[in-house]
Amino acid sequence: MDLHLAPPHGAGPVRFGMTLDEAVAAVSPWGEPRVRTRPNRVLVTVSAACDHVGVEVLLEEENRVTAVELWWPGEGRETSTRVLLEGVGMLRAADVDVFRTPADEVLGRIAAQGWRVHDADGEAPFVAGLSLGFTRRTSQEVPRRLDGLPVCFTSVLVGGEDYYDFRLPR
């Protein structure tokens, strides 16, 4: 299976602006999703797994979907699912599998299309204009660069149009 990241519109079958019921219905084919209400800034989350790829749908504003985060299954788990960053104007070449392609290559391909990658520490780069955020944080045994950072990303978040604007340097 392929899960397509389509910033700033959604990820897989989930689209931004969906209601809670619509989000639950979108991920239900993968199994029974967990719905949690949180008192912090995230009002509601819907969690599911697609062939061991973790999916968390965030409903942060007016109980509408505002972001989707996906996690690599982790150490020792296999999946045939690919998480693809599709060619929505930023990667005109082939789709990129964000969890199997080296992180530096993913970021390089995004930058080559004229997007500014914000990557102060290497662990949590983001692309504000695309509303994409990545992480390499993990305690798992994974291939690492010489500086200790994992070679590939361990999670990716797709947000709505202005999702990362608050993180931009002023």
Side-chain angles (χ1 to χ4, degrees), residues 14 18-28 33 46 57 59 65:
V14 180
M18 282 182 159
T19 64
L20 175 60
D21 290 342
E22 291 169 332
V24 167
V27 300
S28 286
V46 178
V57 180
L59 293 89
V65 173

Side-chain angles (χ1 to χ4, degrees), residues 90-159:
M90 78 241 162
L91 299 173
R92 289 183 284 272
D95 291 338
V96 176
D97 186 336
V98 298
F99 293 135
R100 290 184 176 101
T101 304
D104 295 334
E105 182 180 334
V106 172
L107 296 177
R109 291 175 75 172
I110 291 170
Q113 296 299 318
W115 296 97
R116 179 156 181 235
V117 175
H118 300 271
D119 190 18
D121 64 4
E123 284 189 336
F126 68 97
V127 185
L130 284 177
S131 295
L132 278 173
F134 303 92
T135 59
R136 296 189 198 194
R137 293 184 193 107
T138 185
S139 60
Q140 298 180 33
E141 292 299 320
V142 295
R144 295 180 182 270
R145 301 184 330 188
L146 292 176
D147 63 3
L149 284 174
V151 170
C152 293
F153 290 121
T154 55
S155 74
V156 59
L157 185 140
V158 180

